[in-house]
Amino acid sequence: VLQNLSQTPVLRELLKEAKMPGTTVKIESPELCMLCCFSFKQEPQLIKLDQPGPLTLAMHQFVTEMQEPKKGVVTPKELFAQVCKKAIRFKGYQQQDSHELLRYLLDGMRAEE
């Protein structure tokens, strides 16, 4: 799940922008525009970002480390610690479904908006 998220261009760009509070970002989805161009024009969304929370900052740090070309093994310790603060079910290192991690991670970052 984390490897897939780290390779999502829109998420990487948003996390980069989220580091700078007070920034307004424009979100355009080329895929969405290509699907819609025959019927109507999809307007980009403008979102003003506040101060990022600890989960969002940990996700930014993780994604940045994953993008470093000469970085060896990347361990998402801080990101996992922040997820555990939002969803205590992940404490204790018991096996969890990947879709649950995805849901708690994205919901947690969204709640920090």
Side-chain angles (χ1 to χ4, degrees), residues 52-67:
L55 180 59
T56 304
L57 290 173
M59 184 64 179
H60 175 267
Q61 177 185 349
F62 172 76
V63 168
T64 301
E65 287 179 13
M66 287 289 288
Q67 296 301 310

Side-chain angles (χ1 to χ4, degrees), residues 9-57:
V10 172
L11 180 61
R12 284 196 320 252
E13 289 302 313
L14 282 175
L15 287 170
K16 196 183 306 181
E17 295 290 330
K19 287 283 289 182
M20 299 174 276
T23 302
T24 300
V25 294
K26 181 166 81 171
I27 299 175
E28 295 183 86
S29 174
E31 296 84 13
L32 193 60
C33 291
M34 288 174 63
L35 292 173
C36 307
C37 67
F38 296 111
S39 57
F40 63 92
K41 181 169 171 52
Q42 178 73 24
E43 293 297 321
Q45 294 181 349
L46 296 176
I47 299 173
K48 184 170 171 37
L49 301 174
D50 293 325
Q51 180 68 33
L55 180 59
T56 304
L57 290 173

Side-chain angles (χ1 to χ4, degrees), residues 65-82:
E65 287 179 13
M66 287 289 288
Q67 296 301 310
E68 291 179 22
K70 296 193 179 191
K71 185 78 174 175
V73 175
V74 176
T75 307
K77 277 185 185 179
E78 180 58 29
L79 179 58
F80 184 68
Q82 292 301 323

Side-chain angles (χ1 to χ4, degrees), residues 68-105:
E68 291 179 22
K70 296 193 179 191
K71 185 78 174 175
V73 175
V74 176
T75 307
K77 277 185 185 179
E78 180 58 29
L79 179 58
F80 184 68
Q82 292 301 323
V83 169
C84 288
K85 288 180 182 179
K86 303 276 184 193
I88 58 172
R89 72 180 332 159
F90 289 101
K91 285 186 179 180
Y93 299 98
Q94 293 181 359
Q95 187 172 343
Q96 302 288 337
D97 291 334
S98 60
H99 72 275
E100 289 180 18
L101 172 67
L102 177 62
R103 192 180 95 216
Y104 281 105
L105 176 62

